[in-house]
């Protein structure tokens, strides 16, 4: 099955990466999260409620809404911070972080379950270096407008009647949803990132990352 | 074989369920929109309990009531969209519509009687996603920033909920339309759209109106027009007056207005009368125009007086038809009340203007004589641009006051010296019997103590 892929581009300064990426990923995850399922003995289930929370950015004039799940926020924040630090530490000029939704497919022993992505959100980040405060202010406004357009785009994509994994029975819930969160139940997702520019990634590090990601999925 | 009756009942049930879903979606959308413009940060919590559309949204009772009312008033029933208009109101009362949201059901698809239960659940989730999109997008539209900046000192955001076609014209010429999303249902397609203003300036859509400026035109404003050079000669004066005047509806013609103006024109004074030292004049000479009413009142007031001091006003001749004459200002006696007029018609409107320095009376008799004789310590000038004469009463009163009879001592009244001697004797008596009074006071105090 081919995964839907969407690409979003951002041009921000280093200290704005976390917030810019967070606002996009949180918006996507809000649409791709459901309330916690409560199954009855007869197999029927009731769905919990997704809480909402406004988040004001510190370095961008922007407010976005996300799920009011501290656990989900922490996980996403860690992933994005890792990417941001890598991007800024090694003086990269651009990087790409990906939010990938997938579902698992059980495999026969001794093979592990197969991960099948069904939707991928790529965010390409170009790092800006602004020395002038006036230009920084202009850039800030541009970033706000750019993020607004991207949020509208995400909403448009989300409301297309495209493929979504169907609700599985209780026994197979883990194959579709991430049930590790206590208060919310998003579709299974993972983040990957790639940095490039001043220091090009070596083949070895890419292979290492590939193996690390593969092992973490299993 | 499927029973047709059972199928019909099932279809009807499904339809009702869909309609309920549509109504629920509409109510929730209105809540989200209104709450997003209240200027407060949203924070609701995830719960394991089921709620409508599985999105935690607070319900404001007022908004629920307004939405229900709008839906019940909607002409044409379900086909009319529900609109939420967000507008900004400044402290000056200026209103600017910022955006208009509409939640409507487009009758695109016919109801499918074979709709399965699974579809209802899918729709439920789809509608939940649409609500999430609505919440997300409501934060990125310009009105959200304004809602966060609202305060009692600057402006506030208000809303209006109504059923019907969205009133886009209130958004001005420049606006954007944005479709948040749509969900196809068997009974139609739910669509959520927003039209928002992109030009954020408070301007009128019609002819330019001075919303906040001086009420007067600049050339008429007292602020900009404190020094006006009036033309001197008669023709240019007339032209000057007519230049700035326009004839209003139901008013007299312009020529008549100018005639009236001439009546009210302040007569000119010879400046030297103010400068020249008056050797013989103890009191300010009468030299100003008064009306016939005023002169008659003066005569009446003098007739009423039984004062010993004669009032020469009776001898005055009122030259109502005499033209202005500067030579008549020479003071010949104290009670010369020649009156000049600048017009053939009587002038009824006056303002009181004090002229010159008042002469201080040296004695009470002098004051009485002065008050009686000095009938013109004030000058009456016509008030321009006034038709009524509100000051004439004041002038008459003042004239009467001046001509009031002076106090006279009655012959049967005791002499003041006698009174004084009586008072002195009484004080002397009290002083002699002081001890006696003290004893009486002490006795009274003792009695009060015993009674207690």
């Amino acid at each position: 099955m081919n995964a839907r892929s969407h690409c979003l581009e951002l041009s921000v300064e280093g200290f704005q990466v976390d917030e810019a990426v967070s606002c996009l990923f949180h918006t996507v995850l809000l649409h791709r999260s459901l309330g916690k399922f409560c199954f009855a003995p007869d197999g029927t289930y009731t769905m919990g409620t997704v809480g909402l929370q406004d988040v004001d950015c510190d370095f961008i004039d922007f407010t976005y809404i996300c799920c009011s799940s501290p656990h989900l926020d922490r996980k996403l924040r860690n992933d994005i911070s890792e990417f941001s630090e890598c991007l800024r530490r090694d003086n990269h000029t651009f990087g790409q972080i990906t939010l990938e939704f997938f579902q698992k497919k059980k495999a026969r022993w001794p093979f592990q379950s197969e991960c099948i992505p069904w939707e991928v959100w790529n965010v390409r980040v170009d790092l800006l270096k602004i020395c002038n405060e006036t230009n920084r202010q202009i850039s800030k406004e541009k970033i706000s407008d750019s993020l607004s357009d991207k949020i509208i785009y995400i909403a448009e994509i989300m409301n297309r009647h495209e493929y979504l994994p169907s609700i599985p029975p209780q026994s197979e819930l883990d194959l579709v949803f991430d049930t590790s969160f206590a208060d919310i139940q998003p579709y299974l997702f993972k983040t990957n990132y790639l940095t490039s520019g001043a220091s090009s990634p070596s083949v070895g590090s890419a292979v290492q990352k590939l193996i690390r990601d593969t092992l973490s999925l299993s | 074989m499927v029973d047709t009756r059972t199928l019909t009942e099932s279809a009807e049930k499904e339809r009702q369920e869909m309609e309920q879903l549509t109504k629920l979606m509409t109510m929730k959308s209105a809540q989200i929109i209104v709450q997003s413009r209240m200027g407060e940060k949203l924070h609701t919590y995830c719960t394991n309990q089921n709620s409508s559309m599985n999105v935690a949204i607070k319900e404001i009772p007022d908004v629920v009531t307004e939405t229900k009312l709008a839906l019940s008033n909607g002409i044409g029933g379900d086909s009319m969209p529900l609109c939420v208009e967000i507008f900004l109101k400044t402290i000056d009362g200026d209103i600017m519509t910022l955006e208009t949201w509409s939640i409507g059901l487009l009758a695109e698809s016919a109801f499918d009687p074979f709709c399965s239960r699974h579809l209802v659940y899918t729709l439920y989730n789809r509608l939940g996603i649409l609500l999430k999109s609505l919440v997300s997008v409501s934060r990125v539209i310009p009105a959200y920033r304004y809602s966060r900046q609202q305060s009692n000192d600057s402006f506030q955001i208000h809303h209006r909920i109504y059923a019907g076609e969205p009133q886009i014209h209130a958004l001005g010429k420049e606006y954007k339309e944005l479709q948040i999303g749509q969900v196809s249902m068997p009974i139609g397609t739910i669509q959520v759209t927003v039209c928002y203003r992109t030009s954020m300036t408070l301007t009128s859509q019609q002819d330019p109106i001075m919303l906040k400026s001086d009420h007067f035109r600049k050339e008429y404003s007292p602020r900009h027009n404190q020094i006006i050079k009036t033309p001197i000669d008669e023709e240019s004066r007339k032209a000057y007056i007519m230049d700035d005047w326009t004839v209003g509806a139901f008013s007299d013609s312009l020529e008549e207005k100018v005639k009236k103006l001439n009546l009210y024109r302040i007569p000119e004074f010879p400046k030297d009368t103010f400068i020249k030292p008056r050797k013989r004049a103890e009191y300010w000479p009468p030299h100003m125009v008064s009306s016939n009413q005023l002169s008659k009142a003066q005569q009446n007031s003098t007739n009423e007086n039984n004062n010993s001091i004669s009032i020469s006003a009776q001898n005055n001749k009122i030259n109502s038809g005499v033209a202005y004459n500067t030579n008549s200002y020479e003071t010949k006696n104290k009670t010369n009340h020649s009156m000049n007029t600048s017009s053939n018609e009587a002038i009824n409107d006056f303002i009181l203007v004090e002229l010159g320095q008042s002469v201080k009376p040296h004695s009470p008799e002098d004051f009485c004589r002065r008050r009686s004789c000095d009938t013109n310590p004030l000058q009456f000038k016509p008030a321009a641009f006034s038709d009524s004469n509100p000051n004439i009463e004041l002038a008459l009163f003042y004239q009467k006051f001046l001509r009031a009879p002076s106090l006279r001592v009655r012959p049967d009244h005791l002499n003041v010296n006698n009174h004084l001697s009586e008072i002195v004797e009484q004080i002397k008596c009290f002083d002699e019997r002081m001890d006696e009074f003290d004893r009486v006071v002490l006795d009274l105090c003792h009695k009060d103590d015993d009674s207690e």
Side-chain angles (χ1 to χ4, degrees):
Chain A
M1 186 182 71
N2 295 323
R4 295 188 301 269
S5 183
H6 307 283
C7 190
L8 306 169
E9 293 186 356
L10 286 174
S11 295
V12 292
E13 286 190 272
F15 59 90
Q16 295 169 327
V17 172
D18 287 68
E19 285 183 339
V21 176
S22 289
C23 98
L24 297 177
F25 279 5
H26 267 298
T27 303
V28 172
L29 270 171
L30 173 67
H31 287 85
R32 295 290 180 237
S33 297
L34 301 174
K36 268 300 221 189
F37 284 13
C38 291
F39 284 91
D42 60 348
T44 58
Y45 66 93
T46 55
M47 203 187 295
T49 304
V50 178
L52 304 170
Q53 186 178 4
D54 273 318
V55 179
D56 289 338
C57 297
D58 293 325
F59 303 107
I60 310 168
D61 296 332
F62 199 76
T63 301
Y64 64 92
I65 199 135
C66 69
C67 303
S68 64
S69 169
H71 300 104
L72 179 66
D73 180 54
R74 201 178 305 128
K75 176 179 168 47
L76 208 59
R77 195 184 294 268
N78 290 338
D79 292 350
I80 295 169
S81 293
E82 198 178 327
F83 164 69
S84 172
E85 281 171 17
C86 179
L87 196 67
R88 296 161 70 181
R89 185 184 57 228
D90 300 334
N91 290 325
H92 295 293
T93 52
F94 80 91
Q96 182 171 301
I97 185 165
T98 304
L99 177 64
E100 184 179 297
F101 291 97
F102 63 93
Q103 63 184 113
K104 292 178 186 173
K105 189 177 179 183
K106 280 185 178 174
R108 294 189 178 185
W109 188 87
F111 299 102
Q112 292 181 338
S113 56
E114 186 185 359
C115 296
I116 305 167
W118 52 271
E119 189 174 66
V120 179
W121 292 88
N122 299 305
V123 178
R124 182 195 160 100
V125 180
D126 286 317
L127 277 188
L128 296 174
K129 286 185 180 176
I130 300 170
C131 306
N132 191 333
E133 197 57 39
T134 311
N135 291 340
R136 180 168 287 123
Q137 194 60 35
I138 295 166
S139 169
K140 236 175 148 181
E141 290 175 12
K142 279 184 182 174
I143 292 165
S144 300
D145 293 342
S146 170
L147 286 174
S148 298
D149 292 342
K150 284 166 182 55
I151 298 284
I152 291 167
Y153 174 72
I154 290 168
E156 185 195 330
I157 298 293
M158 292 296 175
N159 284 278
R160 288 180 187 167
H161 291 188
E162 291 175 327
Y163 172 79
L164 276 177
S166 56
I167 308 293
Q170 187 177 7
S171 57
E172 296 179 358
L173 198 64
D174 292 342
L175 298 179
V176 176
F177 293 103
D178 190 337
T179 53
S180 61
F181 301 103
D183 47 5
I184 203 165
Q185 192 171 285
Y187 285 97
L188 281 169
F189 72 96
K190 64 175 178 178
T191 57
N192 303 312
Y193 65 85
L194 177 72
T195 55
S196 176
S199 60
S200 56
S202 63
V203 178
S205 64
V207 172
Q208 276 181 359
K209 189 176 184 303
L210 186 68
I211 293 167
R212 192 171 61 243
D213 291 344
T214 309
L215 290 173
S216 67
L217 280 175
S218 60
Chain B
M1 185 181 171
V2 180
D3 186 6
T4 315
R5 191 176 168 183
T6 311
L7 192 65
T8 311
E9 283 177 2
S10 174
E12 189 60 33
K13 195 179 174 183
E14 294 280 351
R15 172 180 281 276
Q16 284 177 0
E17 205 166 347
M18 292 290 167
E19 286 175 353
Q20 281 292 322
L21 210 58
T22 308
K23 192 179 176 183
L24 187 66
M25 175 69 192
T26 309
M27 301 283 283
K28 285 280 177 189
S29 300
Q31 287 284 349
I32 288 170
I33 294 162
V34 172
Q35 286 180 39
S36 70
R37 301 298 180 250
M38 289 174 74
E40 296 165 358
K41 286 176 76 173
L42 180 69
H43 192 183
T44 55
Y45 296 95
C46 299
T47 60
N48 289 335
Q49 294 174 342
N50 191 10
S51 69
S52 52
M53 305 284 177
N54 301 111
V55 182
I57 299 160
K58 292 175 190 169
E59 286 208 340
I60 300 172
D62 289 347
V63 179
V64 174
T65 311
E66 286 174 48
T67 311
K68 282 182 178 174
L69 189 69
L71 289 173
S72 62
N73 291 340
I75 304 163
D78 299 333
S79 61
M80 296 300 284
L82 181 88
C83 297
V84 183
E85 187 180 279
I86 305 293
F87 60 94
L88 176 150
K89 190 174 183 181
T90 65
I91 51 170
D92 296 333
D94 295 327
I95 289 173
M96 180 167 68
T97 307
L98 297 176
E99 57 192 17
T100 304
W101 299 80
S102 76
I103 307 111
L105 184 69
L106 305 174
E108 281 180 354
S109 55
F111 177 65
D112 180 11
F114 296 100
C115 173
S116 67
R117 294 292 301 174
H118 181 70
L119 180 62
V120 175
Y121 286 122
T122 307
L123 285 177
Y124 201 76
N125 291 335
R126 293 272 185 206
L127 290 174
I129 289 173
L130 181 54
L131 281 183
K132 288 170 186 171
S133 296
L134 180 58
V135 179
S136 300
V137 173
S138 66
R139 267 67 184 168
V140 303
I141 292 178
Y144 179 76
R145 290 186 186 182
Y146 289 98
S147 71
R148 293 290 294 272
Q149 292 168 1
Q150 65 182 311
S151 70
N152 292 326
D153 301 330
S154 54
F155 61 83
Q156 286 197 317
I157 305 289
H158 300 267
H159 71 273
R160 184 168 72 97
I161 300 173
Y162 60 92
E165 291 302 319
Q167 295 172 8
I168 307 298
H169 62 273
L171 297 170
K173 289 176 184 173
E174 296 175 15
Y175 70 90
K176 274 187 182 176
E177 186 172 359
L178 186 67
Q179 185 176 314
I180 310 300
Q182 59 180 30
V183 175
S184 293
M185 299 171 70
I187 58 169
T189 302
I190 287 184
Q191 193 177 47
V192 181
T193 55
V194 60
C195 296
Y196 62 94
R197 177 187 285 269
T198 53
S199 173
M200 294 292 175
T201 48
L202 269 174
T203 51
S204 171
Q205 300 304 310
Q206 300 167 350
D207 295 332
I209 300 170
M210 287 187 291
L211 290 174
K212 192 179 175 183
S213 67
D214 197 338
H215 178 73
F216 300 96
R217 282 170 58 185
K218 191 178 177 183
E219 56 267 31
Y220 299 147
S221 171
R223 219 171 20 170
H224 303 286
N225 207 12
Q226 290 183 354
I227 300 168
I228 302 170
K229 290 182 180 176
T230 52
I232 297 166
D233 62 279
E234 201 64 30
E235 285 302 315
S236 55
R237 182 194 294 269
K238 189 175 175 180
Y240 167 76
I241 292 165
M242 291 176 73
D243 277 348
D244 290 340
W245 280 45
T246 53
V247 182
F250 313 109
S251 67
D252 298 334
S253 69
L254 198 59
E255 293 293 334
E256 286 172 5
K257 277 186 182 294
V258 173
K259 277 183 185 175
K260 282 186 180 178
L261 265 183
N262 286 332
L263 300 183
Y264 300 147
R265 195 186 309 144
I266 301 168
E268 293 173 5
F269 293 93
K271 302 289 187 298
D272 55 355
T273 53
F274 299 98
I275 301 165
K276 278 180 184 175
R278 281 172 293 279
K279 294 175 183 175
R280 290 185 295 166
E282 289 180 22
Y283 312 108
W284 199 259
H287 57 278
M288 189 46 210
V289 179
S290 181
S291 68
N292 290 330
Q293 287 180 346
L294 182 59
S295 63
K296 284 175 186 174
Q298 283 175 332
Q299 286 177 353
N300 293 336
S301 63
T302 51
N303 291 334
E304 287 168 9
N305 287 339
N306 293 322
N307 227 337
S308 58
I309 300 169
S310 64
I311 305 300
S312 62
Q314 292 172 355
N315 299 324
N316 292 339
K317 289 181 180 178
I318 303 160
N319 296 323
S320 60
V322 178
Y324 172 70
N325 183 7
T326 54
N327 296 326
S328 64
Y329 294 113
E330 192 177 350
T331 52
K332 293 184 177 177
N333 56 55
K334 296 175 187 175
T335 58
N336 184 12
H337 292 273
S338 64
M339 295 180 182
N340 299 320
T341 177
S342 63
S343 171
N344 293 331
E345 297 178 30
I347 300 167
N348 294 325
D349 301 319
F350 298 92
I351 53 172
L352 295 170
V353 180
E354 196 170 356
L355 287 178
Q357 291 178 347
S358 62
V359 181
K360 288 182 180 177
H362 300 292
S363 65
E365 290 78 14
D366 186 27
F367 171 76
C368 290
R369 192 178 69 252
R370 263 204 65 214
R371 201 183 58 177
S372 302
C373 300
D374 188 6
T375 54
N376 197 10
L378 300 174
Q379 183 183 8
F380 300 98
K381 286 187 176 180
F385 311 108
S386 65
D387 293 329
S388 62
N389 55 350
N391 291 321
I392 190 66
E393 290 182 9
L394 179 64
L396 290 171
F397 168 77
Y398 194 74
Q399 290 292 340
K400 282 183 180 178
F401 164 74
L402 289 176
R403 297 186 180 283
S406 57
L407 286 171
R408 286 188 301 181
V409 180
R410 287 187 303 177
D412 55 347
H413 201 275
L414 289 173
N415 194 358
V416 177
N417 292 332
N418 293 339
H419 272 293
L420 282 174
S421 62
E422 278 182 8
I423 290 165
V424 169
E425 283 176 9
Q426 206 169 10
I427 290 169
K428 199 176 180 181
C429 174
F430 291 153
D431 197 35
E432 286 171 356
R433 299 174 65 185
M434 191 178 288
D435 293 337
E436 192 181 342
F437 287 126
D438 286 343
R439 278 199 300 275
V440 170
V441 172
L442 282 170
D443 287 345
L444 287 170
C445 290
H446 285 307
K447 281 178 184 175
D448 286 344
D449 290 341
D450 293 342
S451 64
E452 287 177 0

